[in-house]
Amino acid sequence: MNEQPTPDTKDWTIVLREVCGECGIDVRALSPGQVAVLLRESVPLFTKALAAPDALVRKDPKVWSTHEYCAHVGEMLQVMNARLALMLEVDAPTFPDWDQDEAAVRGDYAAIPSAEVARRLDESASLFAAALQSLGDEQAPRMGTRSNGALFTTATLAQYAWHDAAHHLHHDLGVGRPL
């Protein structure tokens, strides 16, 4: 797998304003508590996809394999959990940059054993879900900003993260719509 997938340059914050045009998932009405439940329910779907015999095979050299998508979702949820914690600790923080394509190369996702990918994904989904479920009403309006200027509340951060996970399940892994 010497060739790197084509970098994703789309502004995915569009899913916070409208239904995703690629996967049809609408996250706009989901509460952080609902996202927490969906995240926990999605872990077995990712684990099942990860266990497929061809999970490490890129069907197109310019697109991640199922294994790499699962590793990405695990790391993305870690990043979102750290961003949520930062929003709760600091008034209106700017999030540290995170380039998902650079993270995939740096983390050599394809070389991580499948059992470790599954463990990380389960752990990151559980931790983020627990953090989302513990949010009080007074924490709902807390905000944070991505370095590109995209503004998030605790609720939209949860929605954004869920879309990323659900989109990969449905659109990229073909596991079906978890919503």
Side-chain angles (χ1 to χ4, degrees):
M1 285 188 234
N2 294 338
E3 193 169 3
Q4 293 304 317
T6 304
D8 184 358
T9 58
K10 183 173 179 174
D11 179 4
W12 287 101
T13 59
I14 194 156
V15 302
L16 301 175
R17 297 182 301 279
E18 59 190 59
V19 174
C20 178
E22 291 185 24
C23 69
I25 294 171
D26 187 353
V27 298
R28 296 171 294 171
L30 294 174
S31 70
Q34 290 170 310
V35 169
V37 170
L38 291 167
L39 282 171
R40 286 189 173 107
E41 290 175 351
S42 73
V43 171
L45 300 174
F46 279 105
T47 303
K48 182 178 179 181
L50 189 58
D54 64 346
L56 270 166
V57 176
R58 286 187 180 168
K59 292 161 184 64
D60 177 335
K62 293 283 196 179
V63 178
W64 288 346
S65 68
T66 294
H67 181 99
E68 291 166 306
Y69 276 118
C70 291
H72 158 72
V73 170
E75 187 167 3
M76 177 274 300
L77 292 172
Q78 289 174 352
V79 169
M80 294 301 142
N81 195 32
R83 288 179 175 182
L84 179 62
L86 187 61
M87 291 169 77
L88 299 176
E89 294 167 11
V90 177
D91 288 334
T94 298
F95 305 133
D97 284 335
W98 184 64
D99 180 315
Q100 67 182 13
D101 298 304
E102 180 183 299
V105 171
R106 180 183 25 76
D108 195 7
Y109 288 169
I112 303 169
S114 295
E116 180 63 12
V117 170
R119 186 197 67 74
R120 290 179 187 180
L121 198 148
D122 181 49
E123 179 180 71
S124 60
S126 294
L127 290 171
F128 189 45
L132 291 172
Q133 285 186 307
S134 72
L135 289 173
D137 291 340
E138 72 283 357
Q139 295 167 314
R142 301 232 9 128
M143 302 180 105
T145 306
R146 231 174 26 192
S147 61
N148 70 351
L151 186 64
F152 292 88
T153 64
T154 58
T156 60
L157 184 78
Q159 293 164 351
Y160 182 81
W162 172 244
H163 173 266
D164 193 311
H167 182 93
H168 292 313
L169 274 174
H170 172 64
H171 187 264
D172 299 311
L173 305 184
V175 177
R177 286 186 67 178
L179 280 178

